[in-house]
Amino acid sequence: MSSSPSSSDLSPTTDEATRLATEQVDQFIASFTAIEAEIGKVFVGHADLVRLVLSTLMADGHILIEGVPGLGKTLLVRTLSEVVDLDFARVQFTPDLMPTDLTGTHAIIEKPGGGLELQLEPGPIVTHLLLADEINRATPKTQSALLQAMQERQVSLGKDTIDLPNPFMVLATQNPIEQEGTYPLPEAQLDRFMVKLLVDYPQEGEYATILQRTTGEAMPEIRHVCSGERLLEMRRTVRQVAASDQILSYATRLVMATQPGSRYATDRVNRYVSMGASPRAGQALLLMGKVQALLENRFTLSVHDLRRIALPVLRHRMVLRFEALADGHDVDGLVGEILETVSESTFDA
């Protein structure tokens, strides 16, 4: 009678596992760069912004984009939805926008055979990619309607609950200049955005291309180079990237360094910051870092990956005191100081 195979016989060999990991990384890079190239046909410049938007999509997060009007934020999101063949909806947030304008409502509908019935009418939030334009112009009541959707990926309408499509992503924009008639987002909602990205003006050499494309007879044709199913596969690949104990420790220390009173906080953090980042920031650091590792053809997370994405992950999670603004200090400068002072080695912690 033959003996049953051992567990080592059933598991893939080291060489086989390495080959499979290499194939996954290669496929991830190929799909990612194909999406980037297709977006680049329409959206000019801002290569770092496009890469961070796609990285957040792969990491299953939401994005807060800050920039003045007219920089192409809507164009970027709409083009992304076409390239990955996902549904797209845009909502212009205004002070009179009601929560039901976003989530949907129950409507009385006349039945074909006569009579009336109460029918659920989902709102624009039931989509794959939602552009919440100028989110800080809506009242807190309407802003809070996004909270359940962003965190739980579902919307409650009375006794009915609607599961949102998968993938689902919120890209919210706000104007950093105009503050009159706006409602700053509460910290609880800011924390649900995986990253905060800043959009600056285009470079001088990019204006000619922008003007030519947007004032010509036709825009470049966009191809579907990725499907929703493929996107979900890429997200699973991101989750499989390995993170050592050293990396987990470094991510923890980066997050704690933003918290006044912690052992890793600098003197300026203790003086100028009233509230630091939560553990959700650590999750964002690891997931965004794993995407960067894959793009560099690695299946293991490094300290370098975390440092590259620390600023967009942490900048909106630190609440400054008035004293910081009076003394001319900003969040980006404090995050840069944290990256300089927090040791990469666990032995120096």
Coordinates of all heavy atoms in Angstrom, one line a residue, residues 170-234:
V170 N -14.3 56.5 -4.4 CA -14.7 57.9 -4.4 C -13.5 58.7 -4.6 O -12.5 58.5 -4.0 CB -15.4 58.2 -3.0 CG1 -15.6 59.7 -2.9 CG2 -16.7 57.4 -2.8
L171 N -13.6 59.6 -5.6 CA -12.6 60.6 -5.8 C -13.2 62.0 -5.6 O -14.1 62.4 -6.4 CB -12.0 60.5 -7.3 CG -11.4 59.2 -7.6 CD1 -12.3 58.3 -8.4 CD2 -10.1 59.5 -8.4
A172 N -12.9 62.6 -4.5 CA -13.5 63.9 -4.1 C -12.5 65.0 -4.3 O -11.3 64.8 -4.1 CB -13.9 63.8 -2.6
T173 N -13.0 66.1 -4.8 CA -12.2 67.3 -5.1 C -12.6 68.4 -4.2 O -13.7 68.5 -3.7 CB -12.2 67.8 -6.5 OG1 -13.5 68.3 -6.8 CG2 -12.0 66.6 -7.5
Q174 N -11.6 69.3 -3.9 CA -12.0 70.6 -3.2 C -11.0 71.7 -3.6 O -9.9 71.4 -4.0 CB -11.9 70.4 -1.7 CG -10.6 70.0 -1.1 CD -10.7 69.8 0.5 OE1 -11.8 69.7 1.0 NE2 -9.6 69.7 1.1
N175 N -11.5 72.9 -3.6 CA -10.8 74.1 -4.0 C -10.1 74.6 -2.8 O -10.7 75.0 -1.8 CB -11.7 75.1 -4.6 CG -11.0 76.3 -5.2 OD1 -9.9 76.6 -4.9 ND2 -11.7 77.0 -6.1
P176 N -8.7 74.7 -2.9 CA -8.0 75.2 -1.7 C -8.1 76.7 -1.5 O -7.7 77.2 -0.5 CB -6.6 74.8 -2.0 CG -6.5 74.8 -3.5 CD -7.8 74.4 -4.0
I177 N -8.6 77.5 -2.5 CA -8.6 78.9 -2.5 C -9.8 79.5 -1.8 O -9.8 80.2 -0.9 CB -8.4 79.5 -3.9 CG1 -7.1 78.9 -4.5 CG2 -8.3 81.0 -3.8 CD1 -5.8 79.2 -3.8
E178 N -11.0 79.1 -2.4 CA -12.2 79.6 -1.9 C -12.7 78.9 -0.6 O -12.9 77.7 -0.7 CB -13.3 79.5 -3.0 CG -13.0 80.3 -4.3 CD -14.1 80.1 -5.3 OE1 -15.2 79.7 -4.9 OE2 -13.8 80.4 -6.5
Q179 N -12.8 79.6 0.4 CA -13.3 79.0 1.7 C -14.7 79.6 2.1 O -15.3 79.0 3.0 CB -12.3 79.3 2.8 CG -10.9 78.8 2.6 CD -10.9 77.3 2.4 OE1 -11.7 76.6 3.1 NE2 -10.1 76.7 1.6
E180 N -15.1 80.7 1.5 CA -16.4 81.2 1.8 C -17.5 80.3 1.3 O -17.6 79.9 0.2 CB -16.6 82.6 1.2 CG -17.9 83.3 1.6 CD -18.0 84.7 1.0 OE1 -17.0 85.2 0.4 OE2 -19.0 85.4 1.2
G181 N -18.5 80.0 2.2 CA -19.6 79.2 1.9 C -19.2 77.7 1.8 O -20.0 76.9 1.1
T182 N -18.1 77.3 2.4 CA -17.7 75.9 2.4 C -17.8 75.3 3.8 O -17.9 76.0 4.8 CB -16.3 75.7 1.8 OG1 -15.4 76.4 2.7 CG2 -16.2 76.3 0.4
Y183 N -17.8 74.0 3.8 CA -17.9 73.2 5.1 C -16.7 72.2 5.1 O -16.7 71.2 4.4 CB -19.2 72.5 5.2 CG -20.4 73.3 5.0 CD1 -20.9 73.7 3.8 CD2 -21.1 73.8 6.2 CE1 -22.1 74.5 3.6 CE2 -22.2 74.6 6.0 CZ -22.7 74.9 4.8 OH -23.8 75.7 4.6
P184 N -15.7 72.5 5.9 CA -14.5 71.7 6.0 C -14.9 70.2 6.4 O -15.8 70.0 7.2 CB -13.7 72.3 7.1 CG -14.1 73.7 7.1 CD -15.5 73.7 6.8
L185 N -14.3 69.3 5.8 CA -14.6 67.9 6.1 C -14.2 67.5 7.5 O -13.1 67.9 7.9 CB -13.9 67.0 5.1 CG -14.3 67.0 3.6 CD1 -13.4 66.1 2.8 CD2 -15.8 66.6 3.5
P186 N -15.0 66.8 8.2 CA -14.6 66.4 9.6 C -13.5 65.4 9.5 O -13.3 64.7 8.5 CB -15.9 65.8 10.2 CG -16.7 65.3 9.0 CD -16.4 66.3 7.9
E187 N -12.7 65.3 10.6 CA -11.6 64.4 10.7 C -12.0 62.9 10.4 O -11.3 62.2 9.8 CB -10.9 64.5 12.0 CG -10.0 65.7 12.2 CD -10.9 67.0 12.3 OE1 -12.0 66.9 12.8 OE2 -10.4 68.1 12.0
A188 N -13.2 62.5 10.9 CA -13.6 61.1 10.7 C -13.8 60.8 9.2 O -13.5 59.7 8.8 CB -15.0 60.9 11.4
Q189 N -14.2 61.8 8.4 CA -14.3 61.5 7.0 C -13.0 61.6 6.3 O -12.7 60.9 5.4 CB -15.4 62.5 6.4 CG -15.7 62.1 4.9 CD -17.0 62.7 4.5 OE1 -17.7 63.3 5.2 NE2 -17.4 62.3 3.2
L190 N -12.2 62.6 6.7 CA -10.9 62.7 6.1 C -10.1 61.4 6.2 O -9.3 61.0 5.3 CB -10.1 63.9 6.7 CG -10.5 65.3 6.3 CD1 -9.8 66.3 7.1 CD2 -10.2 65.5 4.8
D191 N -10.2 60.8 7.4 CA -9.4 59.6 7.6 C -9.8 58.4 6.7 O -9.1 57.5 6.5 CB -9.7 59.2 9.1 CG -8.6 58.2 9.6 OD1 -7.5 58.3 9.1 OD2 -9.0 57.3 10.4
R192 N -11.0 58.5 6.1 CA -11.5 57.5 5.2 C -10.9 57.6 3.8 O -11.1 56.7 3.0 CB -13.0 57.4 5.2 CG -13.5 56.7 6.5 CD -15.0 56.9 6.6 NE -15.5 56.0 7.7 CZ -15.4 56.3 9.0 NH1 -14.8 57.4 9.4 NH2 -15.9 55.5 9.9
F193 N -10.3 58.7 3.5 CA -9.6 58.9 2.2 C -8.2 58.3 2.4 O -7.4 58.7 3.3 CB -9.5 60.3 1.8 CG -10.8 60.9 1.4 CD1 -11.6 61.7 2.2 CD2 -11.3 60.6 0.1 CE1 -12.8 62.3 1.8 CE2 -12.5 61.2 -0.3 CZ -13.2 62.0 0.5
M194 N -7.8 57.4 1.6 CA -6.5 56.7 1.7 C -5.4 57.7 1.5 O -4.4 57.7 2.2 CB -6.4 55.5 0.7 CG -5.1 54.8 0.8 SD -5.1 53.2 -0.1 CE -6.1 52.2 0.9
V195 N -5.6 58.6 0.5 CA -4.5 59.6 0.2 C -5.2 61.0 -0.1 O -6.4 61.0 -0.4 CB -3.7 59.2 -1.0 CG1 -2.9 57.9 -0.7 CG2 -4.5 59.1 -2.3
K196 N -4.4 62.0 0.1 CA -4.8 63.3 -0.3 C -3.7 63.8 -1.3 O -2.5 63.9 -1.0 CB -4.9 64.3 0.9 CG -5.2 65.7 0.4 CD -5.2 66.7 1.6 CE -5.5 68.1 1.2 NZ -5.5 69.1 2.3
L197 N -4.2 64.1 -2.5 CA -3.2 64.5 -3.6 C -3.4 66.0 -3.9 O -4.6 66.5 -4.0 CB -3.5 63.7 -4.9 CG -3.5 62.1 -4.6 CD1 -3.8 61.4 -6.0 CD2 -2.2 61.7 -4.1
L198 N -2.3 66.7 -4.2 CA -2.4 68.1 -4.6 C -2.1 68.2 -6.1 O -1.1 67.6 -6.6 CB -1.3 68.9 -3.8 CG -1.4 68.7 -2.2 CD1 -0.3 69.6 -1.6 CD2 -2.8 69.1 -1.7
V199 N -2.9 68.9 -6.8 CA -2.8 69.1 -8.2 C -2.3 70.5 -8.5 O -3.0 71.5 -8.1 CB -4.1 68.8 -9.0 CG1 -3.8 68.9 -10.5 CG2 -4.7 67.5 -8.6
D200 N -1.2 70.7 -9.1 CA -0.6 72.0 -9.4 C -0.9 72.3 -10.9 O -1.4 71.5 -11.7 CB 0.9 72.0 -9.1 CG 1.4 73.4 -8.9 OD1 0.6 74.4 -9.1 OD2 2.6 73.6 -8.5
Y201 N -0.5 73.5 -11.3 CA -0.6 73.9 -12.7 C 0.3 73.1 -13.6 O 1.3 72.6 -13.2 CB -0.3 75.4 -12.9 CG -1.3 76.3 -12.2 CD1 -0.9 77.0 -11.0 CD2 -2.5 76.6 -12.7 CE1 -1.8 77.8 -10.3 CE2 -3.4 77.4 -12.0 CZ -3.0 78.1 -10.9 OH -3.9 78.9 -10.2
P202 N -0.1 72.9 -14.9 CA 0.8 72.2 -15.8 C 2.1 72.9 -16.1 O 2.2 74.1 -15.8 CB -0.1 72.2 -17.1 CG -1.5 72.5 -16.7 CD -1.4 73.4 -15.5
Q203 N 3.1 72.2 -16.6 CA 4.3 72.8 -16.9 C 4.1 73.6 -18.2 O 3.2 73.3 -19.0 CB 5.4 71.7 -17.2 CG 5.7 70.9 -15.9 CD 6.3 71.7 -14.8 OE1 7.1 72.6 -15.0 NE2 5.8 71.5 -13.6
E204 N 5.0 74.6 -18.5 CA 4.9 75.5 -19.6 C 4.8 74.7 -20.9 O 4.0 74.9 -21.8 CB 6.0 76.5 -19.6 CG 5.9 77.4 -20.8 CD 7.1 78.4 -20.8 OE1 7.9 78.4 -19.9 OE2 7.2 79.2 -21.8
G205 N 5.7 73.6 -21.0 CA 5.7 72.9 -22.3 C 4.5 72.0 -22.5 O 4.4 71.5 -23.6
E206 N 3.7 71.8 -21.5 CA 2.5 71.0 -21.6 C 1.3 71.8 -22.1 O 0.3 71.2 -22.6 CB 2.2 70.3 -20.3 CG 3.3 69.4 -19.8 CD 3.1 68.9 -18.4 OE1 2.2 69.5 -17.7 OE2 3.7 68.0 -18.0
Y207 N 1.3 73.1 -22.0 CA 0.1 73.9 -22.4 C -0.2 73.7 -23.9 O -1.4 73.6 -24.3 CB 0.4 75.4 -22.1 CG 0.0 75.8 -20.7 CD1 0.9 75.7 -19.7 CD2 -1.3 76.2 -20.4 CE1 0.6 76.0 -18.4 CE2 -1.6 76.6 -19.1 CZ -0.7 76.5 -18.1 OH -1.0 76.8 -16.8
A208 N 0.8 73.7 -24.8 CA 0.5 73.6 -26.2 C -0.2 72.3 -26.5 O -1.2 72.2 -27.3 CB 1.8 73.6 -27.0
T209 N 0.2 71.2 -25.9 CA -0.5 69.9 -26.1 C -1.9 69.9 -25.6 O -2.8 69.4 -26.2 CB 0.3 68.7 -25.4 OG1 1.7 68.8 -25.9 CG2 -0.3 67.4 -25.7
I210 N -2.1 70.5 -24.4 CA -3.4 70.6 -23.8 C -4.4 71.3 -24.7 O -5.5 70.9 -25.0 CB -3.3 71.2 -22.4 CG1 -2.6 70.3 -21.4 CG2 -4.7 71.5 -21.9 CD1 -2.3 70.9 -20.1
L211 N -3.9 72.5 -25.1 CA -4.7 73.4 -26.0 C -5.0 72.7 -27.3 O -6.2 72.8 -27.8 CB -4.1 74.7 -26.2 CG -3.8 75.5 -24.9 CD1 -3.1 76.8 -25.2 CD2 -5.2 75.9 -24.2
Q212 N -4.1 72.1 -27.9 CA -4.3 71.4 -29.2 C -5.3 70.3 -29.1 O -6.2 70.1 -29.9 CB -2.9 70.9 -29.7 CG -3.0 70.3 -31.1 CD -1.7 69.9 -31.6 OE1 -0.8 69.6 -30.8 NE2 -1.5 69.8 -32.9
R213 N -5.2 69.5 -28.0 CA -6.1 68.3 -27.9 C -7.5 68.8 -27.6 O -8.5 68.2 -28.0 CB -5.6 67.4 -26.8 CG -4.4 66.6 -27.2 CD -4.0 65.6 -26.1 NE -2.7 64.9 -26.4 CZ -2.2 64.0 -25.6 NH1 -2.8 63.7 -24.4 NH2 -1.1 63.4 -25.9
T214 N -7.7 69.8 -26.8 CA -9.0 70.2 -26.3 C -9.7 71.2 -27.2 O -10.9 71.5 -27.0 CB -8.9 70.9 -24.9 OG1 -8.0 72.0 -25.0 CG2 -8.4 69.9 -23.9
T215 N -9.0 71.7 -28.2 CA -9.7 72.6 -29.2 C -9.7 72.1 -30.6 O -10.1 72.8 -31.5 CB -8.9 74.0 -29.1 OG1 -7.6 73.9 -29.5 CG2 -9.0 74.6 -27.7
G216 N -9.2 70.9 -30.8 CA -9.2 70.3 -32.1 C -10.5 69.7 -32.4 O -11.5 69.7 -31.7
E217 N -10.6 69.0 -33.6 CA -11.8 68.4 -34.0 C -12.3 67.2 -33.2 O -13.4 66.9 -33.0 CB -11.7 68.0 -35.5 CG -11.6 69.2 -36.4 CD -11.5 68.8 -37.9 OE1 -11.6 67.6 -38.2 OE2 -11.4 69.7 -38.8
A218 N -11.3 66.4 -32.8 CA -11.6 65.2 -32.1 C -10.6 64.8 -31.1 O -9.4 65.1 -31.2 CB -11.8 64.0 -33.1
M219 N -11.0 64.2 -30.0 CA -10.1 63.7 -28.9 C -9.6 62.4 -29.3 O -10.2 61.6 -30.1 CB -10.9 63.6 -27.6 CG -11.3 65.0 -27.0 SD -10.0 65.9 -26.3 CE -9.7 65.0 -24.8
P220 N -8.4 62.0 -28.8 CA -7.8 60.7 -29.1 C -8.8 59.6 -28.7 O -9.5 59.7 -27.7 CB -6.5 60.7 -28.3 CG -6.2 62.1 -28.1 CD -7.5 62.8 -28.0
E221 N -8.8 58.5 -29.4 CA -9.7 57.4 -29.1 C -9.1 56.6 -27.9 O -7.9 56.2 -27.9 CB -9.9 56.5 -30.3 CG -10.9 55.4 -30.1 CD -11.1 54.5 -31.4 OE1 -10.5 54.9 -32.4 OE2 -11.7 53.5 -31.3
I222 N -10.0 56.3 -26.9 CA -9.6 55.5 -25.8 C -10.0 54.1 -25.9 O -11.1 53.8 -26.3 CB -10.2 56.1 -24.5 CG1 -9.7 57.6 -24.3 CG2 -9.8 55.3 -23.3 CD1 -8.2 57.6 -24.1
R223 N -9.1 53.2 -25.6 CA -9.4 51.7 -25.6 C -9.6 51.2 -24.2 O -9.0 51.7 -23.3 CB -8.3 51.0 -26.3 CG -8.0 51.3 -27.7 CD -6.8 50.5 -28.3 NE -5.6 50.7 -27.6 CZ -5.0 49.7 -26.9 NH1 -5.5 48.5 -26.8 NH2 -3.9 50.0 -26.2
H224 N -10.4 50.1 -24.1 CA -10.5 49.4 -22.8 C -9.4 48.4 -22.8 O -9.3 47.5 -23.5 CB -11.9 48.6 -22.8 CG -13.1 49.5 -22.9 ND1 -13.2 50.7 -22.2 CD2 -14.2 49.3 -23.6 CE1 -14.4 51.2 -22.5 NE2 -15.0 50.4 -23.4
V225 N -8.4 48.7 -21.8 CA -7.3 47.9 -21.7 C -7.3 47.0 -20.4 O -6.4 46.3 -20.1 CB -6.0 48.7 -21.8 CG1 -5.8 49.4 -23.1 CG2 -5.9 49.7 -20.6
C226 N -8.4 47.2 -19.6 CA -8.5 46.5 -18.4 C -10.0 46.4 -18.0 O -10.7 47.3 -18.2 CB -7.7 47.2 -17.3 SG -7.7 46.3 -15.7
S227 N -10.4 45.3 -17.4 CA -11.8 45.1 -17.0 C -11.8 45.1 -15.5 O -10.8 45.1 -14.8 CB -12.3 43.7 -17.5 OG -11.5 42.7 -16.9
G228 N -13.1 45.2 -15.0 CA -13.3 45.2 -13.6 C -12.8 43.9 -12.9 O -12.2 43.9 -11.8
E229 N -13.0 42.8 -13.6 CA -12.5 41.5 -13.1 C -11.0 41.5 -13.0 O -10.4 41.0 -12.0 CB -12.9 40.4 -14.0 CG -14.4 40.1 -13.9 CD -15.2 41.1 -14.7 OE1 -14.6 41.9 -15.5 OE2 -16.5 41.2 -14.6
R230 N -10.3 42.0 -14.0 CA -8.8 42.1 -14.0 C -8.4 43.0 -12.9 O -7.4 42.7 -12.2 CB -8.3 42.6 -15.3 CG -6.8 42.8 -15.4 CD -6.0 41.6 -15.0 NE -4.6 41.9 -15.0 CZ -3.8 41.3 -14.1 NH1 -4.2 40.3 -13.3 NH2 -2.5 41.6 -14.1
L231 N -9.1 44.1 -12.7 CA -8.7 45.0 -11.6 C -8.8 44.4 -10.2 O -7.9 44.6 -9.4 CB -9.6 46.3 -11.6 CG -9.4 47.3 -10.6 CD1 -8.0 47.9 -10.6 CD2 -10.4 48.5 -10.8
L232 N -9.8 43.6 -10.0 CA -9.9 42.8 -8.7 C -8.8 41.8 -8.6 O -8.3 41.6 -7.5 CB -11.3 42.1 -8.7 CG -12.5 43.0 -8.6 CD1 -13.8 42.2 -8.6 CD2 -12.5 44.0 -7.4
E233 N -8.4 41.2 -9.7 CA -7.2 40.3 -9.6 C -6.0 41.1 -9.2 O -5.1 40.6 -8.4 CB -7.0 39.6 -11.0 CG -8.1 38.6 -11.4 CD -7.8 38.1 -12.8 OE1 -6.8 38.4 -13.4 OE2 -8.7 37.3 -13.3
M234 N -5.8 42.3 -9.8 CA -4.6 43.1 -9.4 C -4.6 43.5 -7.9 O -3.6 43.5 -7.3 CB -4.6 44.3 -10.3 CG -4.4 44.0 -11.8 SD -4.5 45.4 -12.9 CE -2.9 46.2 -12.5

